[in-house]
Amino acid sequence: MAQQAYMTETDSDGSEPEPRGSRTRYLFDRLRTHLFHGWRGDPGIWRRGIVLGVIALLLALVMLTHSRIPNRVGNLGSLTETFLPWVGLLLPVLLVLGLVRKSATALIALLLPGVVWLNLFGGLLTDKTGSGGNLVVATHNVNADNPDPAGTARDVAGSGADVLALEELKTSAVPVYVKALAPTYRYHSVQGTVGVWSKYPLSSVKAVDIGMGWTRAMRATVTAPAGQVAVYVAHLPSVRVKANAGFTARQRDQSAVALGEAIAHETLQRVVLLGDLNGTMNDRSLTGVTAQLRSTQGAAGNGFGFSWPAAFPMARIDQIMVKGVEPESSWTLPKTGSDHLPVAARVKVDASAP
């Protein structure tokens, strides 16, 4: 009789599986009850979490006014802008703390930095990759201490790039790259520590002076099937974060100005810049370059496209930027023997354009 009563009450003999959704709803209801139990009618939800709310507002302020953070002290503004997307990692942390503290003040304040972050970087989270394009370009800082230059050359050649730029070429390793890339690229030129390899003819090749004292930038005309393209390859000076000096980027900033001036005087309408700029598109110190050109990753990429350091990419300092051609897709390539990831893009060169 007891068993019959139990079966009647549960309306099951225990042999039928529990509906899949019921378990999920049960767990969700338990979580909701645990988190929000006692919130209604609790005046403390407005008093608790004020510090969390202030932190949230400060994060929003940093993101809103990052361009006004001065560079006079340790280039703090540029340092902030280099890693600005990572501010978003603090938002879920504050969200969890606000829920644990049962603080309506913190949760409401958190809406502001959330909206600001999405406004700044939300567009990068969507896949803007297209299927068109008639020219594939790639760039890679191969690292002067690369233990396997031949393998790195084969890897980047396998990307399918029509035009390939390499930076940080060690003099003794140049013949290795030339030999390994020869089967894929008929034309090439190396100027100082940078070089360009192309499936299409090169002309008007020259070094570009960016104030380094030795050659770390070059320019070449690539005669692609759809028309001529001015290709710039650059490796701007490295930056460092030092406890006693902050973000040391003065030489990088000066070279960026020189590179920007060279591009501004370019006579061809179609321009592609490939290289390691040691800075992100957000860094105001690269404005001389970024104001003239579009980032292929920003226009036609999927995600942030971080390229450095290769072991755990945190910033996109390897750039493909264009003017007069249309970005169709942009992506990072698999890790090689370098501390940078190679990056590539497919662009459309309009044959009807001048």
Side-chain angles (χ1 to χ4, degrees):
M1 179 67 77
Q3 181 180 7
Q4 181 179 2
Y6 173 78
M7 293 176 61
T8 301
E9 181 179 287
T10 61
D11 197 28
S12 171
D13 61 0
S15 62
E16 295 181 4
E18 184 181 6
R20 180 176 299 178
S22 62
R23 181 64 176 172
T24 302
R25 286 195 299 270
Y26 170 75
L27 293 175
F28 176 77
D29 290 341
R30 287 291 301 272
L31 178 63
R32 183 178 59 182
T33 300
H34 174 73
L35 290 176
F36 298 105
H37 176 70
W39 283 50
R40 183 176 299 176
D42 178 6
I45 64 174
W46 300 106
R47 295 194 297 267
R48 290 190 297 266
I50 292 178
V51 173
L52 294 176
V54 170
I55 294 174
L57 295 178
L58 287 176
L59 288 179
L61 184 64
V62 168
M63 290 187 286
L64 282 171
T65 64
H66 65 86
S67 62
R68 297 181 179 274
I69 299 175
N71 262 341
R72 290 188 298 273
V73 181
N75 281 298
L76 183 60
S78 289
L79 178 61
T80 301
E81 290 166 337
T82 298
F83 298 103
L84 195 60
W86 292 93
V87 172
L89 287 182
L90 296 175
L91 302 184
V93 175
L94 291 177
L95 174 61
V96 171
L97 292 176
L99 291 173
V100 171
R101 289 283 291 153
K102 297 182 179 180
S103 169
T105 299
L107 296 180
I108 292 175
L110 190 59
L111 291 175
L112 182 57
V115 170
V116 174
W117 191 92
L118 288 174
N119 181 61
L120 290 174
F121 304 111
L124 294 173
L125 301 179
T126 60
D127 187 355
K128 301 176 289 297
T129 302
S131 58
N134 53 11
L135 183 69
V136 178
V137 297
T139 180
H140 189 27
N141 179 326
V142 295
N143 188 356
D145 297 323
N146 192 318
D148 183 19
T152 295
R154 289 190 296 269
D155 288 342
V156 291
S159 68
D162 301 307
V163 179
L164 171 65
L166 299 182
E167 304 87 47
E168 207 168 295
L169 291 168
K170 193 175 182 178
T171 302
S172 60
V174 169
V176 178
Y177 286 105
V178 170
K179 180 179 179 180
L181 293 171
T184 305
Y185 301 99
R186 183 176 179 182
Y187 309 94
H188 84 276
S189 176
V190 175
Q191 303 287 321
T193 61
V194 297
V196 62
W197 278 256
S198 174
K199 295 179 181 179
Y200 308 122
L202 298 175
S203 60
S204 302
V205 178
K206 64 178 182 179
V208 175
D209 184 7
I210 57 173
M212 292 289 295
W214 69 96
T215 302
R216 284 180 44 150
M218 64 177 292
R219 180 245 184 244
T221 296
V222 175
T223 304
Q228 291 187 328
V229 180
V231 173
Y232 284 79
V233 182
H235 182 195
L236 297 188
S238 299
V239 297
R240 298 286 186 271
V241 180
K242 298 180 179 179
N244 62 339
F247 192 55
T248 57
R250 181 178 179 82
Q251 193 175 25
R252 190 278 313 265
D253 299 348
Q254 294 172 340
S255 291
V257 172
L259 178 62
E261 291 175 350
I263 294 173
H265 288 92
E266 175 58 51
T267 56
L268 292 181
Q269 299 298 310
R270 307 184 188 98
V271 179
V272 174
L273 170 61
L274 306 167
D276 174 8
L277 302 189
N278 272 306
T280 68
M281 293 296 295
N282 295 318
D283 192 333
R284 79 196 66 173
S285 296
L286 300 185
T287 301
V289 176
T290 58
Q292 301 183 66
L293 306 169
R294 300 172 66 193
S295 164
T296 59
Q297 185 67 25
N302 180 14
F304 289 95
F306 294 148
S307 63
W308 176 88
F312 186 80
M314 297 182 65
R316 184 180 177 87
I317 63 174
D318 301 276
Q319 306 289 354
I320 299 177
M321 303 173 66
V322 299
K323 178 175 69 173
V325 300
E326 187 64 27
E328 294 290 343
S329 59
S330 187
W331 64 96
T332 57
L333 296 167
K335 188 178 184 301
T336 69
S338 172
D339 57 341
H340 292 242
L341 294 179
V343 297
R346 186 184 299 108
V347 300
K348 181 180 180 181
V349 181
D350 187 353
S352 63

